[in-house]
Amino acid sequence: MRSMRYRLELEAGDEGYLICNAETTWNSMPQEDNLQRPSIRVKNVPVCGRIVADIASCVEVNEFYGDTFESENDDDLEDERIRHNIFAANYARILDGEFPDWVLGVVRINSDGVTMAFFDRETGQIEELYVKWTPMLRIMFEVDRADGSGVDAYLVKMSTDVHDTEKRRELEVIEQDAYGKRKLLFTPLYNEPSGPDEDWKYVRVTEYR
């Protein structure tokens, strides 16, 4: 095994770090494979033997089906709103995989936090869950490899101040695959130098192979 530390520069306006069940980009999702392949699985991870924060209680639904949503067909809009309301009322059970028509296809991670994109398998409708900043959250995302050779796992560690979630934010992802693991720290350290300009941010990486 070897280890190496380095720093990556990411363009702030980019799509961020994506965990996907099939190849896609944030702006072009969902692709057909996203709807057909198994959903990304989400699991709570214990801290010192207990679940400190349950992911189902640490998310909020993106409410983008409001009065300003436009559609050429009122019936289509009403169907979308119905599906959105079903998702909003049952997102905790959807996270547990109880609604197979909804597939978690993409997870976006950056210094702003974690966003999960779910797709309706029949229509491709997109629904998003945003993970609120939480003092001590540990969750695992598991993705079946496309070639059927196994599962890749991504441990997400989120922490912030207990009383003020705007303070001391830290977000780290630990990738685990057949070859080793990488730790990626997305939030700046207290003494983090500025990037080359405001459009760039650093990600600190520790790699084990």
Side-chain angles (χ1 to χ4, degrees):
M1 175 178 284
R2 66 165 173 81
S3 66
M4 179 171 59
R5 294 184 178 181
Y6 53 93
R7 186 174 63 186
L8 297 176
E9 290 179 349
L10 297 185
E11 189 174 1
D14 198 8
E15 296 187 334
Y17 174 95
L18 302 182
I19 301 171
C20 309
N21 71 338
E23 290 187 17
T24 189
T25 66
W26 187 260
N27 291 324
S28 67
M29 64 180 187
Q31 301 293 320
E32 186 64 27
D33 284 350
N34 294 123
L35 302 174
Q36 300 299 325
R37 286 188 45 76
S39 179
I40 298 171
R41 295 178 293 280
V42 189
K43 299 180 179 179
N44 289 303
V45 176
V47 178
C48 298
R50 67 185 183 92
I51 303 299
V52 178
D54 179 8
I55 181 60
S57 64
C58 301
V59 295
E60 58 185 23
V61 179
N62 189 345
E63 298 288 351
F64 46 63
Y65 289 99
D67 295 335
T68 59
F69 189 85
E70 296 181 357
S71 174
E72 295 180 358
N73 188 312
D74 289 340
D75 290 338
D76 289 344
L77 177 57
E78 183 60 25
D79 288 344
E80 290 176 348
R81 282 179 170 153
I82 290 172
R83 287 192 293 271
H84 170 73
N85 291 338
I86 291 172
F87 180 88
N90 295 280
Y91 69 82
R93 296 173 63 190
I94 292 171
L95 279 169
D96 286 338
E98 295 183 32
F99 284 62
D101 285 346
W102 287 102
V103 54
L104 173 55
V106 183
V107 180
R108 181 172 65 180
I109 300 173
N110 55 32
S111 60
D112 294 326
V114 180
T115 305
M116 294 179 279
F118 291 80
F119 313 129
D120 183 296
R121 290 188 188 273
E122 181 179 350
T123 67
Q125 180 167 321
I126 302 173
E127 296 289 347
E128 295 177 3
L129 287 180
Y130 176 72
V131 182
K132 296 177 289 187
W133 282 96
T134 306
M136 190 175 292
L137 178 65
R138 301 288 185 271
I139 50 176
M140 182 76 75
F141 294 105
E142 294 182 343
V143 185
D144 293 339
R145 295 179 193 145
D147 61 5
S149 62
V151 175
D152 291 327
Y154 304 85
L155 173 63
V156 176
K157 302 170 69 176
M158 176 184 284
S159 60
T160 186
D161 187 87
V162 174
H163 303 291
D164 186 350
T165 58
E166 296 290 332
K167 294 182 178 179
R168 291 170 41 200
R169 289 182 168 182
E170 184 172 304
L171 180 59
E172 182 181 53
V173 175
I174 301 177
E175 299 176 344
Q176 297 172 293
D177 56 32
Y179 307 102
K181 68 180 181 180
R182 292 201 310 169
K183 296 182 178 181
L184 301 97
L185 182 64
F186 286 86
T187 42
L189 302 174
Y190 71 93
N191 59 347
E192 183 81 67
S194 299
D197 58 56
E198 63 181 8
D199 293 326
W200 292 81
K201 295 184 179 181
Y202 290 128
V203 176
R204 294 183 179 272
V205 182
T206 305
E207 183 176 291
Y208 303 88
R209 290 286 187 251

